[in-house]
Amino acid sequence: MYTHFLILQTNIKHEKDYEKKVTDEDMILKLGKLAFQQLVKGNLIFYGEDLRECGIDETEASVYSGLCTQIFREEFGLYQGKVFSFVHLSIQEHLAALYAHLICTVNKRNVFDQNKESLLSKLLKIKKSSSLPGLHQRAVNEALQSKNGHLDLFLRFLLGLSLESNQTLLRELLTQTGSCFYNKEETVQSIKQKIRENHSPEKSINLFHCLNELGDDSLMQEIQHYLKSGKIRKAKLSSSQWSALVFVLLTSEQKMDVFDLKQFIGSQHTADEVLQYLLPVVKESRSVR
């Protein structure tokens, strides 16, 4: 949806015949670099020096604002003068993910490694880190280490961009998209391992969203089988299965007026254990028995 939106905005640019020296690729890469750098820093509002660091001068910025009124905007802050932002955080997250994907597939570089390591370290790691699986695993680790979850949606966008269906869309938008054919199973297994390591419920839920982006629902299918068969109380669930259960319950279209914990308490797990595992569901429920 977001890539369709970006295509629409570039088509509007062509119809309005704005400055032809600003190509689609140039605009998207510059805005993407700005989006990524500021997202990593946790910034939603940025200033002239931030733009210049990404190769955008103030004159260009006003052109970009005219080109992409639904993507990029400029305002006048109370004290700081002119400030800039994307029209919505999700637009910034999508552009940041697109930039990271293109830098990896076209330029064979990992955006997380830039300016953080010595030249020797970069040379030693370049083969692994510049691959898509390497970028994805690094992005997963960075998102898990984030205290406020500011890279969660960026990660989901990044993983989704590697699918062939989205690659077809990108080829409509850009002349260069690079080669990104790879075995996604490596990334899937890496994410499942992170779920097994039993991170916080919020982190696990985002990792399940990531598996959805990659089209893997094997853990969810296991839980759905237990739920439909009525064997959930008798099953000895692993930590990853409990996380899958939380995800299934939170994303279910069927909203329960009363969430009954008894249906999950059996011989294998005590009431206290079940409550601890299902706390995220309890917090979202109207009432709990």
Side-chain angles (χ1 to χ4, degrees):
M1 182 182 77
Y2 280 80
T3 306
H4 271 297
F5 174 76
L6 205 51
I7 293 171
L8 177 64
Q9 291 304 312
T10 55
N11 288 340
I12 290 172
K13 181 196 85 167
H14 298 155
E15 288 173 9
K16 290 185 176 180
D17 196 31
Y18 276 100
E19 302 218 10
K20 294 182 179 179
K21 66 179 182 179
V22 181
T23 65
D24 293 346
E25 282 89 344
D26 190 43
M27 177 185 73
I28 289 168
L29 281 173
K30 285 182 178 180
L31 288 176
K33 183 177 182 179
L34 176 68
F36 176 78
Q37 287 188 351
Q38 299 306 312
L39 183 66
V40 168
K41 294 175 183 177
N43 295 340
L44 304 182
I45 295 174
F46 14 96
Y47 305 98
E49 58 267 28
D50 300 317
L51 272 62
R52 288 189 290 274
E53 191 179 333
C54 298
I56 307 171
D57 60 34
E58 296 254 354
T59 309
E60 234 180 347
S62 61
V63 173
Y64 280 25
S65 188
L67 293 177
C68 305
T69 52
Q70 298 303 311
I71 295 178
F72 197 61
R73 65 187 179 191
E74 57 183 84
E75 302 170 352
F76 286 93
L78 191 57
Y79 305 110
Q80 301 275 358
K82 191 179 290 186
V83 297
F84 302 87
S85 69
F86 290 93
V87 71
H88 193 269
L89 176 58
S90 59
I91 300 293
Q92 183 176 348
E93 290 163 324
H94 174 259
L95 276 170
L98 181 56
Y99 172 75
H101 177 86
L102 291 173
I103 291 298
C104 182
T105 57
V106 177
N107 296 347
K108 308 302 178 189
R109 289 188 289 116
N110 187 323
V111 289
F112 287 106
D113 289 336
Q114 297 179 51
N115 303 321
K116 283 192 174 183
E117 295 180 305
S118 67
L119 179 60
L120 179 59
S121 298
K122 288 181 181 179
L123 290 173
L124 291 173
K125 293 184 178 180
I126 191 166
K127 186 173 181 181
K128 182 178 179 182
S129 65
S130 61
S131 67
L132 265 182
L135 172 63
H136 290 169
Q137 289 184 28
R138 179 67 179 275
V140 168
N141 290 334
E142 294 284 344
L144 288 174
Q145 290 168 18
S146 166
K147 293 181 179 178
N148 60 4
H150 72 296
L151 295 177
D152 285 357
L153 196 57
F154 160 83
L155 173 62
R156 285 151 63 178
F157 276 130
L158 180 62
L159 295 172
L161 285 168
S162 65
L163 300 185
E164 181 56 33
S165 57
N166 289 322
Q167 286 301 302
T168 303
L169 269 182
L170 286 181
R171 285 191 281 272
E172 289 184 34
L173 184 65
L174 304 164
T175 55
Q176 284 193 77
T177 58
S179 173
C180 82
F181 294 104
Y182 81 111
N183 184 0
K184 68 179 183 182
E185 192 59 29
E186 183 179 345
T187 303
V188 167
Q189 293 306 319
S190 173
I191 291 173
K192 286 183 177 179
Q193 179 59 39
K194 295 295 183 184
I195 293 172
R196 282 191 290 271
E197 290 171 4
N198 207 16
H199 290 274
S200 70
E202 292 78 11
K203 298 294 185 184
S204 293
I205 289 167
N206 191 58
L207 291 177
F208 275 104
H209 280 298
C210 291
L211 291 178
N212 270 353
E213 289 291 344
L214 294 169
D216 185 281
D217 64 350
S218 54
L219 282 172
M220 278 78 82
Q221 290 290 346
E222 290 176 17
I223 291 303
Q224 291 284 11
H225 170 72
Y226 282 129
L227 288 172
K228 289 176 182 177
S229 67
K231 297 177 180 178
I232 195 80
R233 293 178 64 180
K234 299 178 183 178
K236 178 69 174 175
L237 301 183
S238 65
S239 60
S240 56
Q241 288 174 322
W242 277 112
S243 296
L245 176 59
V246 169
F247 179 79
V248 168
L249 293 173
L250 286 177
T251 56
S252 172
E253 293 181 359
Q254 295 181 337
K255 298 299 179 186
M256 296 174 286
D257 287 332
V258 180
F259 178 56
D260 190 354
L261 278 170
K262 281 196 300 183
Q263 61 184 308
F264 304 103
I265 301 169
S267 58
Q268 301 293 334
H269 298 281
T270 67
D272 284 345
E273 287 175 329
V274 172
L275 176 60
Q276 190 63 39
Y277 281 123
L278 298 184
L279 207 51
V281 186
V282 170
K283 290 177 179 177
E284 292 298 320
S285 302
R286 293 177 186 172
S287 61
V288 182
R289 181 181 296 119

